[in-house]
Amino acid sequence: MSNQEIQMSEYLSPLLQFGKIGVIHSVFEHSFNVEIKQQLISIACFHDYLSSFGINLPEDRFNTLASALQTGNRVKISDDVLTIYSISSVRQVTLKPCRLVPLNVFTLGLSKKQLLLLKPFLAEKNWQTKIGLPVDKRASTLFARMAQPNREWTTTEWQEVVGYLLGRGKGLTPSGDDLLMGYQLVLGTVSDPRGIALAVALGEAQTATTAISQAYLTCATKGYANSLVYQLFSDLAQNQEEKIEEQLEKIMRIGHSSGKDLAFGIWLALQAIEGEESEGETWKRVNKNKQ
């Protein structure tokens, strides 16, 4: 991303689809979220990361808004201008020119064979010490089930998995949610029917987690990922295997454990789509070896 370039996820286009008036939902050091009719829009100043529901501003424009960034402040958005109203001032920045960034992994046309190139890079990551969830007996059982190839799930079983993982863990995007996000993106990318069933279960239960996590999961069910995951999948689609390890490392550095949790979800899903019963035991075997 150029330091002077505005980027916007294609998920948000057209920007006014959600409405024009909202409020600041949450504020962080390099980003804030605007809520418009229950849709979050992440507005940030990152040079190497774009949220699936995000807009990246150049640093000078982001800093122009800084003094008005307070939860609850009113926000007005048009195609050209973002305006924030605080008690003491009105801050405004232009949103043009803006480059739309494709982030929908479902549109890349990835095959199972291409996706499975990731598996060797993820297979021996000692996940128990990396993810943000304790791998107790119940979690281990659910993970083994999620990794099982060709498994036919019942609605109740999906509800059990979502009920256990959704909202579980610390942070703005709990670890269980990040795991489900990675799992959903892989299943949806290869049009696996389990992805549809999972999306339904998530849609029925999303109020069990944070609003920010809800926004990410809603995007994932429609195929939209953050820019790092999209780039990884794009590299695979273009058969650029030499970039896999570097891109995975970037993903796994997201947040305290968010990237690792997401990558673990991807790994479970890769086992689930492989289609060879012998590979369904991978999680059980690796988990046993770590104990």
Side-chain angles (χ1 to χ4, degrees), residues 54-129:
I55 299 172
N56 272 352
L57 298 177
E59 187 173 358
D60 57 344
R61 296 194 207 187
F62 187 87
N63 290 340
T64 296
L65 302 173
S67 64
L69 297 183
Q70 184 174 341
T71 301
N73 279 356
R74 185 167 169 263
V75 178
K76 181 178 180 181
I77 294 180
S78 71
D79 282 329
D80 300 317
V81 177
L82 169 69
T83 307
I84 301 178
Y85 301 87
S86 69
I87 294 175
S88 59
S89 65
V90 176
R91 295 293 179 183
Q92 191 173 79
V93 295
T94 178
L95 297 177
K96 298 290 184 179
C98 180
R99 180 169 70 87
L100 288 180
V101 179
L103 294 178
N104 193 326
V105 297
F106 293 178
T107 66
L108 291 171
L110 268 168
S111 67
K112 287 184 182 181
K113 182 178 180 180
Q114 288 171 313
L115 269 174
L116 288 168
L117 291 172
L118 291 173
K119 198 162 175 243
F121 294 92
L122 294 171
E124 299 294 339
K125 289 290 186 181
N126 193 15
W127 291 111
Q128 285 197 88
T129 64

Side-chain angles (χ1 to χ4, degrees), residues 48-49 105 118 122 127 178 182 185 225-236 243-266:
D48 56 358
Y49 177 91
V105 297
L118 291 173
L122 294 171
W127 291 111
D178 290 318
L185 287 169
N226 67 56
S227 58
L228 297 181
V229 172
Y230 181 86
Q231 187 59 56
L232 173 65
F233 281 34
S234 179
D235 290 341
L236 290 170
K243 295 184 178 181
I244 291 176
E245 187 166 12
E246 178 184 359
Q247 202 60 37
L248 275 174
E249 288 302 316
K250 289 180 181 179
I251 290 169
M252 293 180 68
R253 288 197 295 267
I254 298 172
H256 179 66
S257 71
S258 284
K260 300 177 184 69
D261 299 323
L262 194 155
F264 179 57
I266 289 173

